[in-house]
Amino acid sequence: MTEKEEIWEHEKTSLHEIDKDGQDDYYTSKDVQKYIKMSFIDELRQNKATRFKFILSFCATFAYSTLGWCKGQTGPAFLDILHISGTDLEKGSVFMTSYSTGCAIGSLIGGTLYSRVNRYIILVVALLIYSLTRALIPWCFLYELMVTAHGVHGLCGGLISVVMTSTAVSIWGATPRGRVYLNIFLVSDGAAGLISPIATSPFLLPRSTGVAKRFDSLDTPNNNTATTNPLIFGGNNSDISSIPHTNITHTETQTSQIYIAYTVSAGLVLLSTIPFIVMCFKSSKHETKNRSNDESQFIGNLPSSIQRLQLVNVGLFATFYMSVNYIFTGYLPAFCVQHLQWTKITAAWLTSELFLAMLGGRLFGAYLSHFFKPMRLLSSSVVLHVIGLTGLSISGIFMAAAGVWIFVFSIGAAWGLIWPSLLSWTNENLIPVRGKVTAFILLMGYAGTLLSPLLFGYMMEEISPLWFCYLNLGYACITVINVLLVFVYTNSLKPKDQNDICLNVNLDK
């Protein structure tokens, strides 16, 4: 089949989802040939289903980009959040753990509700609460309140990710157009993450905030000294926590303006909610019913036990990949400030470079998906990921700033290819990625981010910030094993399975 014919097969099966009257249309062979000769612009003009899908694609991409914006902002703002709540890096890691716990719970809720409740209503409620908690986080001066706010924020984020990803995969289906759109959809995450650290940097406290002039206790009278207090030196106490009896003669106190950046983020999320509010009133009840009947079934005739084990392997891949992705963006500025002695602004620019590389990787992946299967893109990107983290570890040991910039770029480029390739491979070779499957994959991913912040925070605070590189590299090496299992499974697919699929499609025509 040609690309147009493959897309048309998916269009026929999904037209009833758009029809508000719940009536299926009958298409003759002449209609099929006419459709194949159409350009995409002609489709938008004449095909109601294509027009709706295009609008939904744009709205879903914009809403997903706001999650990327908030994610890119979290790393540079993390030290300021510690300063606001009056805690150190080790205890502040609970904020990320709370967020990950909320994401895991949200993914479970999203997978359960996706086939039972109108997805637009789910998105509206989740986006509104996500926007509210984003605006409130900089005002949570109490430690417990900050933990709670991150937990609720993560719950909504996990719910949005499940519903939005399932929607993006289902819009165009397992077609070349669907693979390209999935890359474009995920590009929005990198594009927003590229801009948000730069937009956040003017509102960050300078690196020296909370750090005072230090003198040796043997040279300074005791009655003119004060002992450092981690509650006073919240955001940057990691610079001085190793000197418990430091003497201080002058303290620099400033107020963080990070609330301005977080308010802008909340406004963007709120803006992305408006189209889905409109869709709530215009969507058909028949659309929810159809999705409830669309159960994901394994693809191919391999034994079900092998297929289930492979799905678990995909989940484990998501566990370690999302752990690296989440921890790396969150702790990269802290690593730069504490180990490399960079300023916060420089660290924010490095975070922007990371998302710039990921954006480039997604765009390049959208082009390559026309010529290469997801398996090849997935394996090559994982190898690039391990090389990048190895180079970053070596650069960190020798304090090579140039190496840090180079290898962080390669890590971001690998990220741009890994996630869409994994979803595309799963959707085409294992099982359709819908509500429950998406929830499972993301739940496994968030499970990996639950304990990782505590591990990273402890190792970086108590031993050395270099453990940021070592642990990330270890996680990435595990994903190599996962990809090897995926490769073996792909080669084990029986050729007759593919012939049967093509035969069934031809009979449907």
Side-chain angles (χ1 to χ4, degrees), residues 214-449:
R214 290 170 285 191
F215 300 89
D216 194 294
S217 58
L218 296 176
D219 299 330
T220 308
N222 292 332
N223 59 352
N224 292 329
T225 63
T227 303
T228 59
N229 187 337
L231 295 179
I232 296 177
F233 300 104
N236 296 315
N237 70 318
S238 56
D239 296 331
I240 57 179
S241 59
S242 59
I243 310 176
H245 299 292
T246 300
N247 296 313
I248 299 179
T249 60
H250 172 70
T251 302
E252 196 179 314
T253 58
Q254 295 187 30
T255 303
S256 174
Q257 293 183 321
I258 198 65
Y259 66 90
I260 299 176
Y262 271 57
T263 302
V264 172
S265 301
L268 290 174
V269 176
L270 187 62
L271 183 62
S272 70
T273 311
I274 298 176
F276 297 106
I277 295 177
V278 176
M279 292 180 185
C280 284
F281 294 100
K282 291 188 175 183
S283 62
S284 170
K285 295 180 180 179
H286 190 68
E287 182 260 1
T288 304
K289 180 180 178 181
N290 288 328
R291 280 189 292 110
S292 63
N293 296 328
D294 182 21
E295 296 293 338
S296 296
Q297 301 293 334
F298 283 106
I299 299 171
N301 295 327
L302 290 177
S304 58
S305 58
I306 296 179
Q307 292 173 327
R308 291 191 179 96
L309 287 174
Q310 186 57 40
L311 182 59
V312 172
N313 180 58
V314 170
L316 291 175
F317 182 97
T319 298
F320 292 99
Y321 167 74
M322 288 185 64
S323 295
V324 173
N325 187 288
Y326 181 65
I327 293 297
F328 198 88
T329 55
Y331 282 87
L332 179 61
F335 168 74
C336 294
V337 171
Q338 293 185 349
H339 181 70
L340 301 176
Q341 299 299 309
W342 291 7
T343 63
K344 290 183 181 179
I345 294 178
T346 304
W349 278 95
L350 181 65
T351 305
S352 291
E353 185 208 42
L354 175 69
F355 282 94
L356 173 63
M358 185 164 62
L359 172 61
R362 293 269 164 85
L363 291 174
F364 192 50
Y367 174 76
L368 292 179
S369 61
H370 277 288
F371 309 101
F372 300 102
K373 293 293 184 180
M375 182 67 247
R376 181 171 297 183
L377 295 177
L378 180 62
S379 57
S380 59
S381 58
V382 167
V383 172
L384 178 62
H385 189 209
V386 173
I387 293 175
L389 285 170
T390 302
L392 179 64
S393 301
I394 297 174
S395 300
I397 293 174
F398 293 99
M399 303 290 287
V404 171
W405 286 94
I406 293 172
F407 289 110
V408 165
F409 187 88
S410 65
I411 292 169
W415 286 1
L417 294 170
I418 290 177
W419 193 243
S421 299
L422 177 68
L423 294 180
S424 295
W425 182 89
T426 305
N427 193 54
E428 296 178 18
N429 297 276
L430 183 61
I431 189 171
V433 179
R434 296 297 184 267
K436 292 182 180 179
V437 176
T438 306
F440 169 76
I441 294 175
L442 293 181
L443 178 62
M444 291 290 289
Y446 292 132
T449 63

Side-chain angles (χ1 to χ4, degrees), residues 92-160:
S93 299
V94 177
F95 301 154
M96 289 192 173
T97 300
S98 177
Y99 179 85
S100 299
T101 303
C103 287
I105 298 174
S107 63
L108 281 175
I109 297 175
T112 303
L113 297 180
Y114 181 79
S115 59
R116 300 179 181 180
V117 182
N118 189 306
R119 58 185 171 188
Y120 307 127
I121 295 179
I122 299 175
L123 288 174
V124 168
V125 174
L127 286 169
L128 287 176
I129 300 177
Y130 189 86
S131 173
L132 178 62
T133 53
R134 192 69 185 179
L136 291 179
I137 282 177
W139 302 100
C140 298
F141 301 104
L142 296 178
Y143 178 80
E144 294 78 8
L145 187 59
M146 185 71 79
V147 173
T148 303
H150 276 81
V152 177
H153 195 61
L155 187 148
C156 296
L159 203 159
I160 294 168

Side-chain angles (χ1 to χ4, degrees), residues 143-188:
Y143 178 80
E144 294 78 8
L145 187 59
M146 185 71 79
V147 173
T148 303
H150 276 81
V152 177
H153 195 61
L155 187 148
C156 296
L159 203 159
I160 294 168
S161 296
V162 168
V163 178
M164 203 70 74
T165 304
S166 299
T167 300
V169 173
S170 64
I171 292 177
W172 302 104
T175 64
R177 183 180 290 175
R179 291 195 294 270
V180 172
Y181 170 68
L182 184 59
N183 279 273
I184 295 175
F185 172 77
L186 296 174
V187 157
S188 63

